């Protein structure tokens, strides 16, 4: 009997976790139409939503960088730029974190030093 009660408690706990973490993302994806389909609103609606997001992001401590593509990373490496992690204040000349951190931007190494960023110790 006691074992059945714990099984029911575990099942209830999993349902609560499901409701907290999965349901909001399912509701958001259900409200977003598949690409290529219109919701019937004006074409400027997505731009308005993105401007609200950018206003929110600019009020944060460090603004998340836009999704950096591999082409942009290769072009920056070829031009001798470093990747500055604006959250930690460290810049990378290459390696694992080059263009991969959540907050960051490409800069010339001299500009990064002038701005007070420090070179990564482990590269």
């Amino acid at each position: 009997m006691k074992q059945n009660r714990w099984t029911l408690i575990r099942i209830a706990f999993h349902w609560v976790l499901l409701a907290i973490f999965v349901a909001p993302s399912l509701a958001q994806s259900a409200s977003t139409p598949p690409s290529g389909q219109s919701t019937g609103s004006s074409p400027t609606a997505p731009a308005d939503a993105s401007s609200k997001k950018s206003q929110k992001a600019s009020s944060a401590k460090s603004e998340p960088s836009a999704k950096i593509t591999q082409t942009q990373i290769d072009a920056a490496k070829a031009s001798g730029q470093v990747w500055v992690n604006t959250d930690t204040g460290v810049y990378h000349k290459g390696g694992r974190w080059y263009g991969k951190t959540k907050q960051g931007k490409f800069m010339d190494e001299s500009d990064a030093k002038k701005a007070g960023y420090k070179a990564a110790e482990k590269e």
Side-chain angles (χ1 to χ4, degrees):
M1 182 72 181
K2 193 173 187 176
Q3 195 173 27
N4 288 340
R5 188 161 84 199
W6 284 111
T7 303
L8 289 173
I9 291 171
R10 279 193 1 235
I11 291 171
F13 179 73
H14 285 97
W15 277 106
V16 168
L17 289 177
L18 182 70
I20 291 171
F21 294 109
V22 178
S25 63
L26 290 176
Q28 182 180 8
S29 65
S31 66
T32 307
S35 61
Q37 292 184 357
S38 175
T39 59
S41 62
S42 67
T44 59
D48 294 339
S50 66
S51 66
K52 287 179 186 175
K53 285 181 185 177
S54 66
Q55 288 172 352
K56 246 187 194 178
S58 62
S59 67
K61 179 183 168 192
S62 294
E63 191 171 306
S65 59
K67 182 73 175 166
I68 305 296
T69 64
Q70 188 61 42
T71 308
Q72 291 171 317
I73 293 171
D74 294 339
K77 256 187 200 179
S79 66
Q81 290 187 319
V82 296
W83 175 257
V84 177
N85 183 337
T86 55
D87 195 35
T88 61
V90 175
Y91 68 86
H92 303 272
K93 295 180 185 180
R96 168 182 180 183
W97 300 111
Y98 190 85
K100 303 290 185 194
T101 60
K102 287 183 181 179
Q103 289 87 17
K105 58 184 174 180
F106 292 110
M107 295 177 77
D108 290 327
E109 186 173 4
S110 60
D111 293 337
K113 285 181 182 178
K114 287 177 190 173
Y117 296 110
K118 297 181 180 175
E121 293 178 7
K122 299 175 185 176
E123 290 268 316

